[in-house]
mmCIF file with all atom_site columns, all heavy atoms in Angstrom:
data_model
loop_
_atom_site.group_PDB
_atom_site.id
_atom_site.type_symbol
_atom_site.label_atom_id
_atom_site.label_alt_id
_atom_site.label_comp_id
_atom_site.label_asym_id
_atom_site.label_entity_id
_atom_site.label_seq_id
_atom_site.pdbx_PDB_ins_code
_atom_site.Cartn_x
_atom_site.Cartn_y
_atom_site.Cartn_z
_atom_site.occupancy
_atom_site.B_iso_or_equiv
_atom_site.pdbx_formal_charge
_atom_site.auth_seq_id
_atom_site.auth_comp_id
_atom_site.auth_asym_id
_atom_site.auth_atom_id
_atom_site.pdbx_PDB_model_num
ATOM 1   N N   . ASP A 1 39 ? -22.401 28.161 -6.726  1.00 96.00 ? 67 ASP A N   1
ATOM 2   C CA  . ASP A 1 39 ? -23.614 28.986 -6.849  1.00 96.00 ? 67 ASP A CA  1
ATOM 3   C C   . ASP A 1 39 ? -24.840 28.243 -6.324  1.00 96.00 ? 67 ASP A C   1
ATOM 4   O O   . ASP A 1 39 ? -25.880 28.168 -6.983  1.00 96.00 ? 67 ASP A O   1
ATOM 5   C CB  . ASP A 1 39 ? -23.839 29.427 -8.300  1.00 96.00 ? 67 ASP A CB  1
ATOM 6   C CG  . ASP A 1 39 ? -22.737 30.323 -8.816  1.00 96.00 ? 67 ASP A CG  1
ATOM 7   O OD1 . ASP A 1 39 ? -22.213 31.146 -8.037  1.00 96.00 ? 67 ASP A OD1 1
ATOM 8   O OD2 . ASP A 1 39 ? -22.383 30.193 -10.007 1.00 96.00 ? 67 ASP A OD2 1
ATOM 9   N N   . ASN A 1 40 ? -24.685 27.653 -5.133  1.00 96.00 ? 68 ASN A N   1
ATOM 10  C CA  . ASN A 1 40 ? -25.741 26.899 -4.450  1.00 96.00 ? 68 ASN A CA  1
ATOM 11  C C   . ASN A 1 40 ? -26.188 25.645 -5.196  1.00 96.00 ? 68 ASN A C   1
ATOM 12  O O   . ASN A 1 40 ? -27.280 25.140 -4.971  1.00 96.00 ? 68 ASN A O   1
ATOM 13  C CB  . ASN A 1 40 ? -26.955 27.785 -4.147  1.00 96.00 ? 68 ASN A CB  1
ATOM 14  C CG  . ASN A 1 40 ? -26.637 28.827 -3.106  1.00 96.00 ? 68 ASN A CG  1
ATOM 15  O OD1 . ASN A 1 40 ? -25.987 28.531 -2.101  1.00 96.00 ? 68 ASN A OD1 1
ATOM 16  N ND2 . ASN A 1 40 ? -27.060 30.051 -3.341  1.00 96.00 ? 68 ASN A ND2 1
ATOM 17  N N   . GLN A 1 41 ? -25.335 25.133 -6.073  1.00 97.00 ? 69 GLN A N   1
ATOM 18  C CA  . GLN A 1 41 ? -25.628 23.880 -6.776  1.00 97.00 ? 69 GLN A CA  1
ATOM 19  C C   . GLN A 1 41 ? -24.731 22.779 -6.209  1.00 97.00 ? 69 GLN A C   1
ATOM 20  O O   . GLN A 1 41 ? -24.057 22.060 -6.933  1.00 97.00 ? 69 GLN A O   1
ATOM 21  C CB  . GLN A 1 41 ? -25.423 24.053 -8.278  1.00 97.00 ? 69 GLN A CB  1
ATOM 22  C CG  . GLN A 1 41 ? -26.414 25.029 -8.894  1.00 97.00 ? 69 GLN A CG  1
ATOM 23  C CD  . GLN A 1 41 ? -26.161 25.205 -10.367 1.00 97.00 ? 69 GLN A CD  1
ATOM 24  O OE1 . GLN A 1 41 ? -26.123 24.232 -11.111 1.00 97.00 ? 69 GLN A OE1 1
ATOM 25  N NE2 . GLN A 1 41 ? -25.989 26.439 -10.798 1.00 97.00 ? 69 GLN A NE2 1
ATOM 26  N N   . PHE A 1 42 ? -24.745 22.667 -4.895  1.00 95.00 ? 70 PHE A N   1
ATOM 27  C CA  . PHE A 1 42 ? -23.935 21.699 -4.160  1.00 95.00 ? 70 PHE A CA  1
ATOM 28  C C   . PHE A 1 42 ? -24.763 20.447 -3.871  1.00 95.00 ? 70 PHE A C   1
ATOM 29  O O   . PHE A 1 42 ? -25.949 20.527 -3.591  1.00 95.00 ? 70 PHE A O   1
ATOM 30  C CB  . PHE A 1 42 ? -23.479 22.318 -2.827  1.00 95.00 ? 70 PHE A CB  1
ATOM 31  C CG  . PHE A 1 42 ? -22.805 21.343 -1.905  1.00 95.00 ? 70 PHE A CG  1
ATOM 32  C CD1 . PHE A 1 42 ? -21.457 21.048 -2.044  1.00 95.00 ? 70 PHE A CD1 1
ATOM 33  C CD2 . PHE A 1 42 ? -23.524 20.705 -0.904  1.00 95.00 ? 70 PHE A CD2 1
ATOM 34  C CE1 . PHE A 1 42 ? -20.834 20.144 -1.200  1.00 95.00 ? 70 PHE A CE1 1
ATOM 35  C CE2 . PHE A 1 42 ? -22.905 19.797 -0.054  1.00 95.00 ? 70 PHE A CE2 1
ATOM 36  C CZ  . PHE A 1 42 ? -21.559 19.512 -0.206  1.00 95.00 ? 70 PHE A CZ  1
ATOM 37  N N   . SER A 1 43 ? -24.107 19.287 -3.949  1.00 96.00 ? 71 SER A N   1
ATOM 38  C CA  . SER A 1 43 ? -24.769 18.046 -3.549  1.00 96.00 ? 71 SER A CA  1
ATOM 39  C C   . SER A 1 43 ? -23.730 17.106 -2.955  1.00 96.00 ? 71 SER A C   1
ATOM 40  O O   . SER A 1 43 ? -22.529 17.292 -3.124  1.00 96.00 ? 71 SER A O   1
ATOM 41  C CB  . SER A 1 43 ? -25.480 17.383 -4.734  1.00 96.00 ? 71 SER A CB  1
ATOM 42  O OG  . SER A 1 43 ? -24.559 17.058 -5.751  1.00 96.00 ? 71 SER A OG  1
ATOM 43  N N   . LEU A 1 44 ? -24.223 16.109 -2.258  1.00 95.00 ? 72 LEU A N   1
ATOM 44  C CA  . LEU A 1 44 ? -23.369 15.135 -1.605  1.00 95.00 ? 72 LEU A CA  1
ATOM 45  C C   . LEU A 1 44 ? -23.834 13.743 -1.997  1.00 95.00 ? 72 LEU A C   1
ATOM 46  O O   . LEU A 1 44 ? -25.030 13.444 -1.931  1.00 95.00 ? 72 LEU A O   1
ATOM 47  C CB  . LEU A 1 44 ? -23.466 15.318 -0.086  1.00 95.00 ? 72 LEU A CB  1
ATOM 48  C CG  . LEU A 1 44 ? -22.590 14.435 0.786   1.00 95.00 ? 72 LEU A CG  1
ATOM 49  C CD1 . LEU A 1 44 ? -22.157 15.190 2.027   1.00 95.00 ? 72 LEU A CD1 1
ATOM 50  C CD2 . LEU A 1 44 ? -23.304 13.176 1.184   1.00 95.00 ? 72 LEU A CD2 1
ATOM 51  N N   . GLU A 1 45 ? -22.908 12.919 -2.428  1.00 94.00 ? 73 GLU A N   1
ATOM 52  C CA  . GLU A 1 45 ? -23.208 11.533 -2.773  1.00 94.00 ? 73 GLU A CA  1
ATOM 53  C C   . GLU A 1 45 ? -22.510 10.623 -1.765  1.00 94.00 ? 73 GLU A C   1
ATOM 54  O O   . GLU A 1 45 ? -21.289 10.691 -1.600  1.00 94.00 ? 73 GLU A O   1
ATOM 55  C CB  . GLU A 1 45 ? -22.704 11.208 -4.182  1.00 94.00 ? 73 GLU A CB  1
ATOM 56  C CG  . GLU A 1 45 ? -22.920 9.764  -4.588  1.00 94.00 ? 73 GLU A CG  1
ATOM 57  C CD  . GLU A 1 45 ? -22.298 9.423  -5.933  1.00 94.00 ? 73 GLU A CD  1
ATOM 58  O OE1 . GLU A 1 45 ? -22.075 10.325 -6.758  1.00 94.00 ? 73 GLU A OE1 1
ATOM 59  O OE2 . GLU A 1 45 ? -22.022 8.229  -6.155  1.00 94.00 ? 73 GLU A OE2 1
ATOM 60  N N   . ILE A 1 46 ? -23.281 9.779  -1.101  1.00 93.00 ? 74 ILE A N   1
ATOM 61  C CA  . ILE A 1 46 ? -22.712 8.838  -0.143  1.00 93.00 ? 74 ILE A CA  1
ATOM 62  C C   . ILE A 1 46 ? -22.130 7.648  -0.904  1.00 93.00 ? 74 ILE A C   1
ATOM 63  O O   . ILE A 1 46 ? -22.823 7.008  -1.691  1.00 93.00 ? 74 ILE A O   1
ATOM 64  C CB  . ILE A 1 46 ? -23.782 8.348  0.853   1.00 93.00 ? 74 ILE A CB  1
ATOM 65  C CG1 . ILE A 1 46 ? -24.350 9.524  1.638   1.00 93.00 ? 74 ILE A CG1 1
ATOM 66  C CG2 . ILE A 1 46 ? -23.199 7.290  1.794   1.00 93.00 ? 74 ILE A CG2 1
ATOM 67  C CD1 . ILE A 1 46 ? -25.609 9.194  2.420   1.00 93.00 ? 74 ILE A CD1 1
ATOM 68  N N   . LEU A 1 47 ? -20.862 7.372  -0.670  1.00 94.00 ? 75 LEU A N   1
ATOM 69  C CA  . LEU A 1 47 ? -20.218 6.204  -1.264  1.00 94.00 ? 75 LEU A CA  1
ATOM 70  C C   . LEU A 1 47 ? -20.277 5.013  -0.317  1.00 94.00 ? 75 LEU A C   1
ATOM 71  O O   . LEU A 1 47 ? -20.486 3.886  -0.744  1.00 94.00 ? 75 LEU A O   1
ATOM 72  C CB  . LEU A 1 47 ? -18.762 6.506  -1.616  1.00 94.00 ? 75 LEU A CB  1
ATOM 73  C CG  . LEU A 1 47 ? -18.524 7.640  -2.616  1.00 94.00 ? 75 LEU A CG  1
ATOM 74  C CD1 . LEU A 1 47 ? -17.035 7.905  -2.774  1.00 94.00 ? 75 LEU A CD1 1
ATOM 75  C CD2 . LEU A 1 47 ? -19.164 7.309  -3.945  1.00 94.00 ? 75 LEU A CD2 1
ATOM 76  N N   . SER A 1 48 ? -20.099 5.287  0.975   1.00 92.00 ? 76 SER A N   1
ATOM 77  C CA  . SER A 1 48 ? -20.060 4.205  1.953   1.00 92.00 ? 76 SER A CA  1
ATOM 78  C C   . SER A 1 48 ? -20.231 4.765  3.365   1.00 92.00 ? 76 SER A C   1
ATOM 79  O O   . SER A 1 48 ? -19.703 5.838  3.672   1.00 92.00 ? 76 SER A O   1
ATOM 80  C CB  . SER A 1 48 ? -18.708 3.480  1.846   1.00 92.00 ? 76 SER A CB  1
ATOM 81  O OG  . SER A 1 48 ? -18.557 2.529  2.854   1.00 92.00 ? 76 SER A OG  1
ATOM 82  N N   . GLU A 1 49 ? -20.944 4.036  4.180   1.00 91.00 ? 77 GLU A N   1
ATOM 83  C CA  . GLU A 1 49 ? -21.072 4.324  5.610   1.00 91.00 ? 77 GLU A CA  1
ATOM 84  C C   . GLU A 1 49 ? -21.061 2.983  6.319   1.00 91.00 ? 77 GLU A C   1
ATOM 85  O O   . GLU A 1 49 ? -22.070 2.287  6.345   1.00 91.00 ? 77 GLU A O   1
ATOM 86  C CB  . GLU A 1 49 ? -22.385 5.050  5.926   1.00 91.00 ? 77 GLU A CB  1
ATOM 87  C CG  . GLU A 1 49 ? -22.465 6.445  5.393   1.00 91.00 ? 77 GLU A CG  1
ATOM 88  C CD  . GLU A 1 49 ? -23.792 7.125  5.702   1.00 91.00 ? 77 GLU A CD  1
ATOM 89  O OE1 . GLU A 1 49 ? -24.849 6.463  5.574   1.00 91.00 ? 77 GLU A OE1 1
ATOM 90  O OE2 . GLU A 1 49 ? -23.772 8.303  6.069   1.00 91.00 ? 77 GLU A OE2 1
ATOM 91  N N   . LYS A 1 50 ? -19.894 2.603  6.858   1.00 91.00 ? 78 LYS A N   1
ATOM 92  C CA  . LYS A 1 50 ? -19.803 1.291  7.489   1.00 91.00 ? 78 LYS A CA  1
ATOM 93  C C   . LYS A 1 50 ? -18.593 1.217  8.416   1.00 91.00 ? 78 LYS A C   1
ATOM 94  O O   . LYS A 1 50 ? -17.707 2.067  8.372   1.00 91.00 ? 78 LYS A O   1
ATOM 95  C CB  . LYS A 1 50 ? -19.718 0.188  6.432   1.00 91.00 ? 78 LYS A CB  1
ATOM 96  C CG  . LYS A 1 50 ? -18.477 0.263  5.555   1.00 91.00 ? 78 LYS A CG  1
ATOM 97  C CD  . LYS A 1 50 ? -18.490 -0.794 4.468   1.00 91.00 ? 78 LYS A CD  1
ATOM 98  C CE  . LYS A 1 50 ? -17.265 -0.655 3.579   1.00 91.00 ? 78 LYS A CE  1
ATOM 99  N NZ  . LYS A 1 50 ? -17.297 -1.561 2.457   1.00 91.00 ? 78 LYS A NZ  1
ATOM 100 N N   . THR A 1 51 ? -18.572 0.165  9.208   1.00 89.00 ? 79 THR A N   1
ATOM 101 C CA  . THR A 1 51 ? -17.417 -0.118 10.046  1.00 89.00 ? 79 THR A CA  1
ATOM 102 C C   . THR A 1 51 ? -16.413 -0.874 9.203   1.00 89.00 ? 79 THR A C   1
ATOM 103 O O   . THR A 1 51 ? -16.765 -1.805 8.482   1.00 89.00 ? 79 THR A O   1
ATOM 104 C CB  . THR A 1 51 ? -17.839 -0.979 11.255  1.00 89.00 ? 79 THR A CB  1
ATOM 105 O OG1 . THR A 1 51 ? -18.813 -0.244 11.998  1.00 89.00 ? 79 THR A OG1 1
ATOM 106 C CG2 . THR A 1 51 ? -16.662 -1.289 12.143  1.00 89.00 ? 79 THR A CG2 1
ATOM 107 N N   . GLN A 1 52 ? -15.154 -0.421 9.256   1.00 91.00 ? 80 GLN A N   1
ATOM 108 C CA  . GLN A 1 52 ? -14.124 -1.060 8.452   1.00 91.00 ? 80 GLN A CA  1
ATOM 109 C C   . GLN A 1 52 ? -12.755 -0.898 9.096   1.00 91.00 ? 80 GLN A C   1
ATOM 110 O O   . GLN A 1 52 ? -12.563 -0.066 9.977   1.00 91.00 ? 80 GLN A O   1
ATOM 111 C CB  . GLN A 1 52 ? -14.118 -0.517 7.029   1.00 91.00 ? 80 GLN A CB  1
ATOM 112 C CG  . GLN A 1 52 ? -13.840 0.963  6.910   1.00 91.00 ? 80 GLN A CG  1
ATOM 113 C CD  . GLN A 1 52 ? -13.889 1.445  5.478   1.00 91.00 ? 80 GLN A CD  1
ATOM 114 O OE1 . GLN A 1 52 ? -12.857 1.587  4.852   1.00 91.00 ? 80 GLN A OE1 1
ATOM 115 N NE2 . GLN A 1 52 ? -15.094 1.707  4.965   1.00 91.00 ? 80 GLN A NE2 1
ATOM 116 N N   . LYS A 1 53 ? -11.817 -1.702 8.610   1.00 92.00 ? 81 LYS A N   1
ATOM 117 C CA  . LYS A 1 53 ? -10.432 -1.615 9.058   1.00 92.00 ? 81 LYS A CA  1
ATOM 118 C C   . LYS A 1 53 ? -9.820  -0.356 8.456   1.00 92.00 ? 81 LYS A C   1
ATOM 119 O O   . LYS A 1 53 ? -10.075 -0.020 7.302   1.00 92.00 ? 81 LYS A O   1
ATOM 120 C CB  . LYS A 1 53 ? -9.660  -2.855 8.601   1.00 92.00 ? 81 LYS A CB  1
ATOM 121 C CG  . LYS A 1 53 ? -8.294  -2.983 9.217   1.00 92.00 ? 81 LYS A CG  1
ATOM 122 C CD  . LYS A 1 53 ? -7.698  -4.337 8.887   1.00 92.00 ? 81 LYS A CD  1
ATOM 123 C CE  . LYS A 1 53 ? -6.498  -4.594 9.743   1.00 92.00 ? 81 LYS A CE  1
ATOM 124 N NZ  . LYS A 1 53 ? -5.241  -4.217 9.235   1.00 92.00 ? 81 LYS A NZ  1
ATOM 125 N N   . LEU A 1 54 ? -9.004  0.326  9.250   1.00 92.00 ? 82 LEU A N   1
ATOM 126 C CA  . LEU A 1 54 ? -8.398  1.564  8.807   1.00 92.00 ? 82 LEU A CA  1
ATOM 127 C C   . LEU A 1 54 ? -7.019  1.323  8.209   1.00 92.00 ? 82 LEU A C   1
ATOM 128 O O   . LEU A 1 54 ? -6.389  0.301  8.465   1.00 92.00 ? 82 LEU A O   1
ATOM 129 C CB  . LEU A 1 54 ? -8.271  2.531  9.993   1.00 92.00 ? 82 LEU A CB  1
ATOM 130 C CG  . LEU A 1 54 ? -9.557  2.824  10.765  1.00 92.00 ? 82 LEU A CG  1
ATOM 131 C CD1 . LEU A 1 54 ? -9.284  3.836  11.868  1.00 92.00 ? 82 LEU A CD1 1
ATOM 132 C CD2 . LEU A 1 54 ? -10.662 3.302  9.852   1.00 92.00 ? 82 LEU A CD2 1
ATOM 133 N N   . ARG A 1 55 ? -6.559  2.296  7.441   1.00 91.00 ? 83 ARG A N   1
ATOM 134 C CA  . ARG A 1 55 ? -5.180  2.265  6.941   1.00 91.00 ? 83 ARG A CA  1
ATOM 135 C C   . ARG A 1 55 ? -4.226  2.518  8.103   1.00 91.00 ? 83 ARG A C   1
ATOM 136 O O   . ARG A 1 55 ? -4.597  3.136  9.111   1.00 91.00 ? 83 ARG A O   1
ATOM 137 C CB  . ARG A 1 55 ? -4.958  3.344  5.871   1.00 91.00 ? 83 ARG A CB  1
ATOM 138 C CG  . ARG A 1 55 ? -5.781  3.165  4.614   1.00 91.00 ? 83 ARG A CG  1
ATOM 139 C CD  . ARG A 1 55 ? -5.327  4.120  3.511   1.00 91.00 ? 83 ARG A CD  1
ATOM 140 N NE  . ARG A 1 55 ? -5.009  5.447  3.991   1.00 91.00 ? 83 ARG A NE  1
ATOM 141 C CZ  . ARG A 1 55 ? -5.770  6.534  3.808   1.00 91.00 ? 83 ARG A CZ  1
ATOM 142 N NH1 . ARG A 1 55 ? -6.906  6.436  3.136   1.00 91.00 ? 83 ARG A NH1 1
ATOM 143 N NH2 . ARG A 1 55 ? -5.411  7.706  4.268   1.00 91.00 ? 83 ARG A NH2 1
ATOM 144 N N   . GLN A 1 56 ? -2.980  2.112  7.945   1.00 91.00 ? 84 GLN A N   1
ATOM 145 C CA  . GLN A 1 56 ? -2.000  2.283  9.015   1.00 91.00 ? 84 GLN A CA  1
ATOM 146 C C   . GLN A 1 56 ? -1.762  3.759  9.353   1.00 91.00 ? 84 GLN A C   1
ATOM 147 O O   . GLN A 1 56 ? -1.645  4.124  10.517  1.00 91.00 ? 84 GLN A O   1
ATOM 148 C CB  . GLN A 1 56 ? -0.668  1.605  8.654   1.00 91.00 ? 84 GLN A CB  1
ATOM 149 C CG  . GLN A 1 56 ? 0.327   1.580  9.797   1.00 91.00 ? 84 GLN A CG  1
ATOM 150 C CD  . GLN A 1 56 ? -0.197  0.837  11.011  1.00 91.00 ? 84 GLN A CD  1
ATOM 151 O OE1 . GLN A 1 56 ? -0.679  -0.284 10.894  1.00 91.00 ? 84 GLN A OE1 1
ATOM 152 N NE2 . GLN A 1 56 ? -0.120  1.455  12.189  1.00 91.00 ? 84 GLN A NE2 1
ATOM 153 N N   . ASP A 1 57 ? -1.707  4.631  8.346   1.00 92.00 ? 85 ASP A N   1
ATOM 154 C CA  . ASP A 1 57 ? -1.481  6.060  8.631   1.00 92.00 ? 85 ASP A CA  1
ATOM 155 C C   . ASP A 1 57 ? -2.638  6.652  9.436   1.00 92.00 ? 85 ASP A C   1
ATOM 156 O O   . ASP A 1 57 ? -2.432  7.523  10.281  1.00 92.00 ? 85 ASP A O   1
ATOM 157 C CB  . ASP A 1 57 ? -1.218  6.859  7.349   1.00 92.00 ? 85 ASP A CB  1
ATOM 158 C CG  . ASP A 1 57 ? -2.432  6.990  6.447   1.00 92.00 ? 85 ASP A CG  1
ATOM 159 O OD1 . ASP A 1 57 ? -2.944  5.955  5.974   1.00 92.00 ? 85 ASP A OD1 1
ATOM 160 O OD2 . ASP A 1 57 ? -2.870  8.129  6.203   1.00 92.00 ? 85 ASP A OD2 1
ATOM 161 N N   . GLU A 1 58 ? -3.848  6.154  9.222   1.00 93.00 ? 86 GLU A N   1
ATOM 162 C CA  . GLU A 1 58 ? -5.002  6.633  9.990   1.00 93.00 ? 86 GLU A CA  1
ATOM 163 C C   . GLU A 1 58 ? -4.917  6.158  11.437  1.00 93.00 ? 86 GLU A C   1
ATOM 164 O O   . GLU A 1 58 ? -5.156  6.930  12.369  1.00 93.00 ? 86 GLU A O   1
ATOM 165 C CB  . GLU A 1 58 ? -6.300  6.142  9.338   1.00 93.00 ? 86 GLU A CB  1
ATOM 166 C CG  . GLU A 1 58 ? -6.524  6.730  7.953   1.00 93.00 ? 86 GLU A CG  1
ATOM 167 C CD  . GLU A 1 58 ? -7.614  6.038  7.162   1.00 93.00 ? 86 GLU A CD  1
ATOM 168 O OE1 . GLU A 1 58 ? -7.870  4.834  7.373   1.00 93.00 ? 86 GLU A OE1 1
ATOM 169 O OE2 . GLU A 1 58 ? -8.225  6.714  6.304   1.00 93.00 ? 86 GLU A OE2 1
ATOM 170 N N   . CYS A 1 59 ? -4.555  4.896  11.624  1.00 93.00 ? 87 CYS A N   1
ATOM 171 C CA  . CYS A 1 59 ? -4.402  4.355  12.983  1.00 93.00 ? 87 CYS A CA  1
ATOM 172 C C   . CYS A 1 59 ? -3.314  5.098  13.743  1.00 93.00 ? 87 CYS A C   1
ATOM 173 O O   . CYS A 1 59 ? -3.488  5.449  14.916  1.00 93.00 ? 87 CYS A O   1
ATOM 174 C CB  . CYS A 1 59 ? -4.073  2.866  12.939  1.00 93.00 ? 87 CYS A CB  1
ATOM 175 S SG  . CYS A 1 59 ? -5.418  1.851  12.322  1.00 93.00 ? 87 CYS A SG  1
#
Side-chain angles (χ1 to χ4, degrees):
D67 296 324
N68 292 317
Q69 294 178 54
F70 172 83
S71 61
L72 183 146
E73 177 185 337
I74 299 167
L75 300 175
S76 174
E77 292 179 318
K78 63 184 178 185
T79 300
Q80 61 182 261
K81 190 171 193 268
L82 306 182
R83 296 190 319 254
Q84 188 60 50
D85 69 298
E86 295 167 332
C87 293

